[in-house]
Amino acid sequence: MIPGSFSYHRPASVADAVKLLADLGEDARPLAGGHSLVPMMKLRLASPAHLIDLHGIAGLKGISRNGDTVVIGAMTTQHDLLASDEIARSAPILHETALLIADPQVRYRGTIGGNVANGDPGNDMPALMMTLGASYRLEGPGGARDLPAADFYQGAYFTALEPGEILTSVSFPALAAGHGYAYEKLKRKVGDYATAAAAVVLTMAGGKVATCTIGLTNVHETPLLAVDAARAVIGTSLDAAALKTAAAAAEAIMAPAADARGPVEYRKHVGGIMVTRALQRAAAGAK
């Protein structure tokens, strides 16, 4: 439970951090909240020779609104999200989801950038970011680029980050007035990863679903957008038949691992239930 030796670096700017990553190469790892990296180091599953602590970079923290776009710095903590009036106004589902991440001690330290950047299929924010139509700002030796969250995840712990790049911010359109939302998460105990979870954002018109997006957490090696499931409920009043069709369409794209949270068929089944519950609660809250 004792990590190997390493050199510690605390850059004051993104440019300094990028240069350190470029100069030190594969022996260096950026440190955000540390809730994934530090336990791996203590178990000797990761042994970086250099840790680049991003906490000294003020420009990576904060929440702002630019027109219709919400921008969140990568080092903004889950606690910061919960305390933000802007998040409460513009994307309350983000507040709801942050409350379901681990426990208060973890949320005080864990960052949104760390949650979305490491490619852990059990993390809650990646599927939500895809549901919100978010994009990530990536900065590296070749400059800055923006990439849709839906294109970022390529496999378990495998993302579109290039060597030397850092995810510096997350941005997404502010949600429509009167939208409904829900993040439904089944877990074995408080603070655990999801056995399965579903995020839903929708709008209603005339008692029927006008728009809908559904994201899925921890039912595949990457977060998923359940496009066919969302399409199945548009134009419906979310009657029993529509809900059943949507759940089946969502289950059809799931490929969870069999693990301590249950066998594959069980995790797919409860994944469908999470979709159903999230759709019903989102519709009930829409105005």
Side-chain angles (χ1 to χ4, degrees):
M1 298 296 290
I2 300 174
S5 62
F6 57 87
S7 297
Y8 175 80
H9 308 266
R10 190 177 173 93
S13 69
V14 171
D16 290 342
V18 168
K19 186 176 187 306
L20 280 168
L21 283 172
D23 291 346
L24 300 173
E26 295 182 358
D27 290 331
R29 292 286 298 274
L31 176 68
H35 289 298
S36 296
L37 179 58
V38 172
M40 291 178 67
M41 291 174 62
K42 292 175 73 173
L43 293 171
R44 301 292 180 106
L45 297 175
S47 299
H50 301 272
L51 273 189
I52 301 173
D53 188 348
L54 304 180
H55 284 84
I57 306 176
L60 292 181
K61 303 172 184 177
I63 301 164
S64 62
R65 173 89 176 251
N66 296 329
D68 291 331
T69 302
V70 178
V71 181
I72 305 174
M75 292 298 290
T76 303
T77 67
Q78 311 296 343
H79 175 75
D80 294 334
L81 297 177
L82 294 171
S84 168
D85 291 338
E86 184 59 58
I87 294 301
R89 286 190 299 269
S90 301
I93 191 173
L94 198 53
H95 184 284
E96 180 174 297
T97 305
L99 272 175
L100 296 175
I101 294 175
D103 53 48
Q105 288 179 306
V106 169
R107 294 194 291 266
Y108 273 112
R109 185 72 175 178
T111 65
I112 190 169
N115 195 280
V116 302
N118 76 338
D120 186 339
N123 284 349
D124 294 286
M125 288 295 176
L128 177 57
M129 290 301 117
M130 290 168 60
T131 305
L132 296 176
S135 65
Y136 301 155
R137 171 61 61 93
L138 311 177
E139 299 191 40
R145 62 187 178 112
D146 294 304
L147 189 69
D151 296 336
F152 184 75
Y153 301 100
Q154 301 174 353
Y157 301 99
F158 183 54
T159 71
L161 273 173
E162 298 289 344
E165 282 189 325
I166 296 172
L167 189 151
T168 58
S169 67
V170 172
S171 62
F172 55 87
L175 298 177
H179 74 279
Y181 64 89
Y183 188 73
E184 287 286 338
K185 178 179 180 178
L186 178 68
K187 53 189 184 295
R188 297 173 299 176
K189 58 184 176 61
V190 174
D192 194 14
Y193 285 114
T195 300
V200 169
V201 175
L202 55 71
T203 58
M204 303 288 289
K208 295 185 177 181
V209 179
T211 64
C212 181
T213 310
I214 303 172
L216 305 174
T217 295
N218 216 17
V219 290
H220 197 274
E221 66 175 0
T222 65
L224 298 174
L225 276 178
V227 176
D228 289 342
R231 188 180 295 123
V233 300
I234 293 176
T236 76
S237 58
L238 281 182
D239 55 89
L243 289 170
K244 183 177 180 180
T245 300
E251 290 177 38
I253 63 172
M254 298 178 188
D259 58 17
R261 293 173 180 84
V264 170
E265 289 307 315
Y266 168 74
R267 295 186 64 186
K268 291 175 67 173
H269 174 68
V270 296
I273 293 174
M274 294 303 102
V275 169
T276 299
R277 290 180 181 176
L279 283 167
Q280 290 175 315
R281 189 156 62 84
K287 299 179 177 62

